[in-house]
Amino acid sequence: MTAHGAADPATERPHGAQHTAAEFAAVYGAAPTGTWAAPGRVNLIGEHTDYNDGFVMPLALPHTTLAAASARTDGVLRLHSGGADGGIVELRIDALRPEPDPQAGWAAYPAGVVWAMREAGLPVGGADLHYDSTVPTGAGLSSSAALEVVTALALNGLYALGQEPQQLARLAQRAENAFVGVPCGIMDQTAAACCTAGHALFLDTRALTRRQIPFDLAGEGLRLLVVDTRVKHELGDGAYAERRAGCERGARALGVRALRDVPYAHLPEALAGLADDPVTQALVRHIVTENHRVEEVVALLDAGRTRAIGPLLTTGHASLRDDFKISCRELDLAVDTANAAGALGARMTGGGFGGSAIVLVEEADAPAVGAAVTEAFAAAGHAAPRIFEAVPSAGAHRVE
Ligand code: ADP
Ligand code: MG
């Protein structure tokens, strides 16, 4: 499980509250007031549904971003990360302006959180922050949400803002949308803020109602493997906005507020109504079937039939590959190889065009399935994937 004060199992790097606090002291010359953690996530099912007001089901990873922090009285924000080059970034909080510029650098994420809090009228002041993370960046595991949410939680603590986890997630999303300029939905930030150990989080992204679904993989003799393909195809950024615009086009054509409002039972009529626009038709088919798959997975988990969700993961992958068209050959290879080697099911997870896949597998089969994927990548001439276990872990919390 997560190791505050131990080595990260994936990287063997020291990682923990004490280590992060010591680094903070080395950077800023004094001990921090506190240290907070927020996790990366994988999404079990419900992909690209969050900006369609739909259903998602993420779980938090044991990999965390830690923030050691102290308040400052002079309105200055100083940011430093062990995972980023370039030393301390120093900003004045009253000079923060939304800057939808992907080149703004990593500091835009935490600076955006301060900006969003001030925009919301919260009495947040300056701070010194130092980050140390074991969440792989750009791997579809949402290191950006971990960075935002840990910042929001630290400031919430330092300034006694009294915000609930879901409110912090909202502020973090606002930072990413309006300040960093990434039009993401609410899933990633909610996962980082609200997940609990041993559970997957069933989230209705319209009502923002949440249900913690017990997901005791180890107790059932199962494993959920993450295959980080280590690739990120350039296509990704523009394609996300394009898919999102396509979904909005579909909702308009069907006369609904969001694709969430197309019931699964009405899918045939909806598709017939989009017959002259096959691109939009395929996007709508993915979203409507994907929302239905989330509900089916919830029903199966409620019935204690965890193994039976495997085929739904694989069907979801096919939908993302064929209808939403956001997979890539590395993700397809990971999924197909895992399934051929005896996995119960597998799918890409996250935004697509690279990043990670998840594989549900019997505990006894996990080593062979992992080895088969590694061999297939070597045989295809791809760089070795990074394979690790997704143990459903805690959401954001104070560690010291
Ligand atoms: P993902 O969220 O899937 O990991 P993104 O592209 O959304 O991928 O976010 C990755 C970016 O977030 C990095 O390029 C970096 O700018 C920033 N980031 C995430 N974690 C850290 C960290 N610990 N330190 C500095 N920057 C980070
Ligand atoms: Mg991200």
Side-chain angles (χ1 to χ4, degrees):
M1 263 267 338
T2 186
H4 296 303
D8 168 42
T11 61
E12 301 299 327
R13 280 200 300 120
H15 183 66
Q18 283 155 15
H19 177 77
T20 306
E23 287 185 342
F24 179 101
V27 171
Y28 295 117
T33 301
T35 302
W36 289 263
R41 63 97 189 94
V42 288
N43 188 19
L44 187 61
I45 191 81
E47 212 65 77
H48 284 259
T49 47
D50 69 341
Y51 54 81
N52 290 288
D53 279 2
F55 304 127
V56 296
M57 211 172 162
L59 51 112
L61 293 172
H63 305 67
T64 56
T65 298
L66 297 177
S70 293
R72 293 177 64 94
T73 53
D74 59 358
V76 168
L77 179 66
R78 293 198 295 176
L79 304 165
H80 184 269
S81 171
D85 302 329
I88 298 172
V89 177
E90 189 168 324
L91 304 159
R92 285 209 53 87
I93 63 168
D94 55 10
L96 295 174
R97 300 283 178 269
E99 206 177 320
D101 173 7
Q103 307 304 316
W106 74 273
Y109 296 89
V113 171
V114 175
W115 170 82
M117 286 180 154
R118 285 168 55 84
E119 282 276 300
L122 296 170
V124 64
D128 286 339
L129 289 129
H130 168 72
Y131 302 93
D132 182 36
S133 181
T134 55
V135 185
T137 56
L141 304 174
S142 221
S143 69
S144 60
L147 177 59
E148 292 151 8
V149 169
V150 79
T151 303
L153 192 69
L155 293 167
N156 190 52
L158 291 174
Y159 284 98
L161 302 176
Q163 300 292 293
E164 296 297 323
Q166 184 71 67
Q167 293 172 299
L168 296 176
R170 270 282 196 214
L171 292 163
Q173 184 203 15
R174 175 111 213 272
E176 186 147 349
N177 290 168
F179 198 91
V180 183
V182 177
C184 59
I186 191 65
M187 170 172 71
D188 297 344
Q189 292 79 7
T190 306
C194 301
C195 279
T196 58
H199 296 82
L201 177 67
F202 175 36
L203 172 71
D204 176 333
T205 64
R206 171 178 282 168
L208 292 184
T209 47
R210 304 185 302 273
R211 184 147 76 84
Q212 304 288 348
I213 311 267
F215 196 51
D216 178 18
L217 291 161
E220 297 195 47
L222 293 170
R223 291 281 182 271
L224 189 67
L225 302 180
V226 178
V227 179
D228 172 6
T229 65
R230 294 182 188 260
V231 298
K232 188 168 170 70
H233 296 292
E234 282 309 316
L235 197 56
D237 296 343
Y240 184 93
E242 204 183 285
R243 297 302 183 283
R244 191 170 175 149
C247 289
E248 284 161 10
R249 195 168 61 236
R252 270 197 310 278
L254 294 169
V256 292
R257 183 170 140 204
L259 291 182
R260 143 71 177 278
D261 296 311
V262 180
Y264 182 68
H266 295 177
L267 183 60
E269 294 95 299
L271 295 180
L274 295 167
D276 58 346
D277 183 354
V279 173
T280 306
Q281 192 186 45
L283 297 178
V284 169
R285 183 163 50 222
H286 168 71
I287 297 299
V288 176
T289 59
E290 185 78 352
N291 275 327
H292 185 62
R293 277 185 288 275
V294 178
E295 295 187 291
E296 286 185 284
V297 165
V298 170
L300 287 168
L301 293 180
D302 280 346
R305 298 181 55 206
T306 308
R307 284 172 174 77
I309 74 172
L312 289 166
L313 303 184
T314 303
T315 312
H317 182 78
S319 179
L320 289 161
R321 181 191 62 210
D322 302 335
D323 276 345
F324 224 65
K325 295 196 170 29
I326 57 167
S327 189
C328 63
R329 60 187 190 285
E330 294 88 350
L331 287 168
D332 291 342
L333 184 64
V335 167
D336 294 345
T337 306
N339 281 332
L344 295 164
R347 62 183 287 271
M348 55 156 283
T349 185
F353 301 104
S356 299
I358 53 172
V359 178
L360 184 69
V361 61
E362 298 286 351
E363 186 179 346
D365 296 335
V369 168
V373 172
T374 300
E375 279 164 30
F377 270 57
H382 302 321
R386 200 164 80 97
I387 302 180
F388 59 91
E389 201 187 321
V391 179
S393 299
H397 58 285
R398 185 170 184 156
V399 289
E400 204 155 287

PDB file of all heavy atoms in Angstrom, residues 65 81 83-84 106 109 131 133 136-144 147 176, ligand 1:
ATOM      1  N   THR A  65       1.024  12.447  -4.882  1.00  0.00           N
ATOM      2  CA  THR A  65       1.791  13.691  -4.894  1.00  0.00           C
ATOM      3  C   THR A  65       1.697  14.276  -3.500  1.00  0.00           C
ATOM      4  O   THR A  65       0.601  14.471  -2.973  1.00  0.00           O
ATOM      5  CB  THR A  65       1.225  14.669  -5.940  1.00  0.00           C
ATOM      6  OG1 THR A  65       1.342  14.059  -7.222  1.00  0.00           O
ATOM      7  CG2 THR A  65       1.990  15.992  -5.927  1.00  0.00           C
ATOM      8  N   SER A  81       9.161  21.940  -7.136  1.00  0.00           N
ATOM      9  CA  SER A  81       8.834  20.523  -7.280  1.00  0.00           C
ATOM     10  C   SER A  81      10.076  19.709  -7.564  1.00  0.00           C
ATOM     11  O   SER A  81      10.876  20.085  -8.431  1.00  0.00           O
ATOM     12  CB  SER A  81       7.841  20.329  -8.424  1.00  0.00           C
ATOM     13  OG  SER A  81       7.688  18.942  -8.678  1.00  0.00           O
ATOM     14  N   GLY A  83       9.997  17.118  -9.095  1.00  0.00           N
ATOM     15  CA  GLY A  83       9.790  16.516 -10.414  1.00  0.00           C
ATOM     16  C   GLY A  83       9.909  17.505 -11.554  1.00  0.00           C
ATOM     17  O   GLY A  83       9.626  17.157 -12.696  1.00  0.00           O
ATOM     18  N   ALA A  84      10.294  18.734 -11.287  1.00  0.00           N
ATOM     19  CA  ALA A  84      10.369  19.728 -12.364  1.00  0.00           C
ATOM     20  C   ALA A  84      11.704  20.458 -12.300  1.00  0.00           C
ATOM     21  O   ALA A  84      12.229  20.719 -11.223  1.00  0.00           O
ATOM     22  CB  ALA A  84       9.227  20.730 -12.230  1.00  0.00           C
ATOM     23  N   TRP A 106       4.609  23.856 -15.375  1.00  0.00           N
ATOM     24  CA  TRP A 106       3.930  23.101 -14.323  1.00  0.00           C
ATOM     25  C   TRP A 106       3.333  23.999 -13.244  1.00  0.00           C
ATOM     26  O   TRP A 106       2.313  23.657 -12.652  1.00  0.00           O
ATOM     27  CB  TRP A 106       4.909  22.107 -13.699  1.00  0.00           C
ATOM     28  CG  TRP A 106       5.919  22.759 -12.799  1.00  0.00           C
ATOM     29  CD1 TRP A 106       7.116  23.290 -13.144  1.00  0.00           C
ATOM     30  CD2 TRP A 106       5.773  22.942 -11.388  1.00  0.00           C
ATOM     31  NE1 TRP A 106       7.736  23.809 -12.046  1.00  0.00           N
ATOM     32  CE2 TRP A 106       6.935  23.601 -10.949  1.00  0.00           C
ATOM     33  CE3 TRP A 106       4.784  22.612 -10.461  1.00  0.00           C
ATOM     34  CZ2 TRP A 106       7.136  23.947  -9.611  1.00  0.00           C
ATOM     35  CZ3 TRP A 106       4.984  22.961  -9.127  1.00  0.00           C
ATOM     36  CH2 TRP A 106       6.151  23.615  -8.722  1.00  0.00           C
ATOM     37  N   TYR A 109      -0.513  24.894 -12.702  1.00  0.00           N
ATOM     38  CA  TYR A 109      -1.530  24.069 -12.010  1.00  0.00           C
ATOM     39  C   TYR A 109      -1.742  24.555 -10.574  1.00  0.00           C
ATOM     40  O   TYR A 109      -2.867  24.892 -10.206  1.00  0.00           O
ATOM     41  CB  TYR A 109      -1.145  22.585 -12.047  1.00  0.00           C
ATOM     42  CG  TYR A 109      -1.109  21.986 -13.445  1.00  0.00           C
ATOM     43  CD1 TYR A 109       0.054  22.012 -14.216  1.00  0.00           C
ATOM     44  CD2 TYR A 109      -2.239  21.389 -13.990  1.00  0.00           C
ATOM     45  CE1 TYR A 109       0.085  21.461 -15.487  1.00  0.00           C
ATOM     46  CE2 TYR A 109      -2.218  20.833 -15.263  1.00  0.00           C
ATOM     47  CZ  TYR A 109      -1.047  20.875 -16.011  1.00  0.00           C
ATOM     48  OH  TYR A 109      -1.021  20.334 -17.269  1.00  0.00           O
ATOM     49  N   TYR A 131       6.709  20.088  -3.663  1.00  0.00           N
ATOM     50  CA  TYR A 131       6.018  18.864  -4.089  1.00  0.00           C
ATOM     51  C   TYR A 131       7.013  17.749  -4.339  1.00  0.00           C
ATOM     52  O   TYR A 131       8.122  17.973  -4.843  1.00  0.00           O
ATOM     53  CB  TYR A 131       5.247  19.111  -5.390  1.00  0.00           C
ATOM     54  CG  TYR A 131       4.235  20.221  -5.289  1.00  0.00           C
ATOM     55  CD1 TYR A 131       4.568  21.529  -5.654  1.00  0.00           C
ATOM     56  CD2 TYR A 131       2.950  19.977  -4.821  1.00  0.00           C
ATOM     57  CE1 TYR A 131       3.643  22.556  -5.565  1.00  0.00           C
ATOM     58  CE2 TYR A 131       2.023  20.996  -4.721  1.00  0.00           C
ATOM     59  CZ  TYR A 131       2.369  22.278  -5.096  1.00  0.00           C
ATOM     60  OH  TYR A 131       1.456  23.295  -4.999  1.00  0.00           O
ATOM     61  N   SER A 133       6.478  13.682  -5.894  1.00  0.00           N
ATOM     62  CA  SER A 133       5.414  12.829  -6.422  1.00  0.00           C
ATOM     63  C   SER A 133       5.922  11.495  -6.932  1.00  0.00           C
ATOM     64  O   SER A 133       7.023  11.406  -7.478  1.00  0.00           O
ATOM     65  CB  SER A 133       4.715  13.553  -7.577  1.00  0.00           C
ATOM     66  OG  SER A 133       3.665  12.759  -8.088  1.00  0.00           O
ATOM     67  N   PRO A 136       3.219   8.932 -12.056  1.00  0.00           N
ATOM     68  CA  PRO A 136       3.845   9.187 -13.354  1.00  0.00           C
ATOM     69  C   PRO A 136       3.120  10.325 -14.077  1.00  0.00           C
ATOM     70  O   PRO A 136       1.888  10.368 -14.047  1.00  0.00           O
ATOM     71  CB  PRO A 136       3.671   7.870 -14.118  1.00  0.00           C
ATOM     72  CG  PRO A 136       3.402   6.829 -13.073  1.00  0.00           C
ATOM     73  CD  PRO A 136       2.710   7.557 -11.946  1.00  0.00           C
ATOM     74  N   THR A 137       3.854  11.254 -14.687  1.00  0.00           N
ATOM     75  CA  THR A 137       3.208  12.375 -15.378  1.00  0.00           C
ATOM     76  C   THR A 137       2.939  12.006 -16.834  1.00  0.00           C
ATOM     77  O   THR A 137       3.717  11.300 -17.463  1.00  0.00           O
ATOM     78  CB  THR A 137       4.071  13.647 -15.338  1.00  0.00           C
ATOM     79  OG1 THR A 137       5.342  13.346 -15.895  1.00  0.00           O
ATOM     80  CG2 THR A 137       4.252  14.149 -13.923  1.00  0.00           C
ATOM     81  N   GLY A 138       1.809  12.491 -17.330  1.00  0.00           N
ATOM     82  CA  GLY A 138       1.478  12.284 -18.732  1.00  0.00           C
ATOM     83  C   GLY A 138       1.191  10.837 -19.086  1.00  0.00           C
ATOM     84  O   GLY A 138       1.238  10.455 -20.253  1.00  0.00           O
ATOM     85  N   ALA A 139       0.880  10.007 -18.093  1.00  0.00           N
ATOM     86  CA  ALA A 139       0.641   8.585 -18.330  1.00  0.00           C
ATOM     87  C   ALA A 139      -0.846   8.245 -18.237  1.00  0.00           C
ATOM     88  O   ALA A 139      -1.218   7.082 -18.128  1.00  0.00           O
ATOM     89  CB  ALA A 139       1.434   7.736 -17.330  1.00  0.00           C
ATOM     90  N   GLY A 140      -1.697   9.272 -18.261  1.00  0.00           N
ATOM     91  CA  GLY A 140      -3.132   9.023 -18.158  1.00  0.00           C
ATOM     92  C   GLY A 140      -3.562   8.673 -16.745  1.00  0.00           C
ATOM     93  O   GLY A 140      -4.662   8.180 -16.530  1.00  0.00           O
ATOM     94  N   LEU A 141      -2.695   8.935 -15.767  1.00  0.00           N
ATOM     95  CA  LEU A 141      -2.995   8.578 -14.374  1.00  0.00           C
ATOM     96  C   LEU A 141      -3.304   9.827 -13.545  1.00  0.00           C
ATOM     97  O   LEU A 141      -3.420   9.774 -12.338  1.00  0.00           O
ATOM     98  CB  LEU A 141      -1.830   7.790 -13.772  1.00  0.00           C
ATOM     99  CG  LEU A 141      -1.474   6.528 -14.587  1.00  0.00           C
ATOM    100  CD1 LEU A 141      -0.223   5.853 -14.040  1.00  0.00           C
ATOM    101  CD2 LEU A 141      -2.641   5.542 -14.614  1.00  0.00           C
ATOM    102  N   SER A 142      -3.421  10.943 -14.242  1.00  0.00           N
ATOM    103  CA  SER A 142      -3.898  12.196 -13.658  1.00  0.00           C
ATOM    104  C   SER A 142      -2.986  12.796 -12.596  1.00  0.00           C
ATOM    105  O   SER A 142      -3.412  13.174 -11.503  1.00  0.00           O
ATOM    106  CB  SER A 142      -5.314  12.006 -13.098  1.00  0.00           C
ATOM    107  OG  SER A 142      -6.049  13.146 -13.426  1.00  0.00           O
ATOM    108  N   SER A 143      -1.721  12.922 -12.965  1.00  0.00           N
ATOM    109  CA  SER A 143      -0.800  13.633 -12.084  1.00  0.00           C
ATOM    110  C   SER A 143      -1.203  15.094 -11.951  1.00  0.00           C
ATOM    111  O   SER A 143      -0.961  15.722 -10.912  1.00  0.00           O
ATOM    112  CB  SER A 143       0.639  13.528 -12.612  1.00  0.00           C
ATOM    113  OG  SER A 143       0.788  14.270 -13.809  1.00  0.00           O
ATOM    114  N   SER A 144      -1.843  15.640 -12.982  1.00  0.00           N
ATOM    115  CA  SER A 144      -2.225  17.061 -12.917  1.00  0.00           C
ATOM    116  C   SER A 144      -3.297  17.270 -11.845  1.00  0.00           C
ATOM    117  O   SER A 144      -3.221  18.223 -11.063  1.00  0.00           O
ATOM    118  CB  SER A 144      -2.701  17.573 -14.280  1.00  0.00           C
ATOM    119  OG  SER A 144      -3.825  16.864 -14.743  1.00  0.00           O
ATOM    120  N   LEU A 147      -1.735  17.042  -8.422  1.00  0.00           N
ATOM    121  CA  LEU A 147      -1.015  18.277  -8.105  1.00  0.00           C
ATOM    122  C   LEU A 147      -1.976  19.392  -7.681  1.00  0.00           C
ATOM    123  O   LEU A 147      -1.746  20.109  -6.695  1.00  0.00           O
ATOM    124  CB  LEU A 147      -0.189  18.693  -9.330  1.00  0.00           C
ATOM    125  CG  LEU A 147       0.601  19.985  -9.277  1.00  0.00           C
ATOM    126  CD1 LEU A 147       1.605  19.967  -8.138  1.00  0.00           C
ATOM    127  CD2 LEU A 147       1.330  20.208 -10.619  1.00  0.00           C
ATOM    128  N   GLU A 176      -7.747  24.053 -13.697  1.00  0.00           N
ATOM    129  CA  GLU A 176      -7.257  23.385 -14.915  1.00  0.00           C
ATOM    130  C   GLU A 176      -7.977  23.919 -16.158  1.00  0.00           C
ATOM    131  O   GLU A 176      -7.368  24.154 -17.198  1.00  0.00           O
ATOM    132  CB  GLU A 176      -7.403  21.859 -14.800  1.00  0.00           C
ATOM    133  CG  GLU A 176      -6.777  21.132 -15.982  1.00  0.00           C
ATOM    134  CD  GLU A 176      -6.173  19.772 -15.669  1.00  0.00           C
ATOM    135  OE1 GLU A 176      -6.024  19.425 -14.485  1.00  0.00           O
ATOM    136  OE2 GLU A 176      -5.837  19.059 -16.627  1.00  0.00           O
TER     137      GLU A 176
HETATM  138  P1  ADP B   1      -1.619  13.504 -16.491  1.00  0.00           P
HETATM  139  O1  ADP B   1      -2.517  14.340 -15.667  1.00  0.00           O
HETATM  140  O2  ADP B   1      -2.320  12.384 -17.186  1.00  0.00           O
HETATM  141  O3  ADP B   1      -0.427  12.990 -15.748  1.00  0.00           O
HETATM  142  P2  ADP B   1      -1.231  16.007 -17.828  1.00  0.00           P
HETATM  143  O4  ADP B   1      -0.596  16.365 -19.101  1.00  0.00           O
HETATM  144  O5  ADP B   1      -2.648  16.385 -17.606  1.00  0.00           O
HETATM  145  O6  ADP B   1      -1.043  14.427 -17.649  1.00  0.00           O
HETATM  146  O7  ADP B   1      -0.420  16.624 -16.613  1.00  0.00           O
HETATM  147  C1  ADP B   1       0.974  16.444 -16.556  1.00  0.00           C
HETATM  148  C2  ADP B   1       1.635  17.770 -16.197  1.00  0.00           C
HETATM  149  O8  ADP B   1       1.293  18.123 -14.857  1.00  0.00           O
HETATM  150  C3  ADP B   1       3.120  17.718 -16.221  1.00  0.00           C
HETATM  151  O9  ADP B   1       3.630  17.963 -17.510  1.00  0.00           O
HETATM  152  C4  ADP B   1       3.497  18.847 -15.243  1.00  0.00           C
HETATM  153  O10 ADP B   1       3.378  20.116 -15.890  1.00  0.00           O
HETATM  154  C5  ADP B   1       2.386  18.775 -14.234  1.00  0.00           C
HETATM  155  N1  ADP B   1       2.761  17.989 -13.048  1.00  0.00           N
HETATM  156  C6  ADP B   1       2.139  16.900 -12.564  1.00  0.00           C
HETATM  157  N2  ADP B   1       2.708  16.457 -11.423  1.00  0.00           N
HETATM  158  C7  ADP B   1       3.739  17.284 -11.170  1.00  0.00           C
HETATM  159  C8  ADP B   1       4.727  17.396 -10.135  1.00  0.00           C
HETATM  160  N3  ADP B   1       4.763  16.539  -9.119  1.00  0.00           N
HETATM  161  N4  ADP B   1       5.620  18.393 -10.211  1.00  0.00           N
HETATM  162  C9  ADP B   1       5.579  19.288 -11.225  1.00  0.00           C
HETATM  163  N5  ADP B   1       4.695  19.242 -12.207  1.00  0.00           N
HETATM  164  C10 ADP B   1       3.776  18.270 -12.207  1.00  0.00           C
END
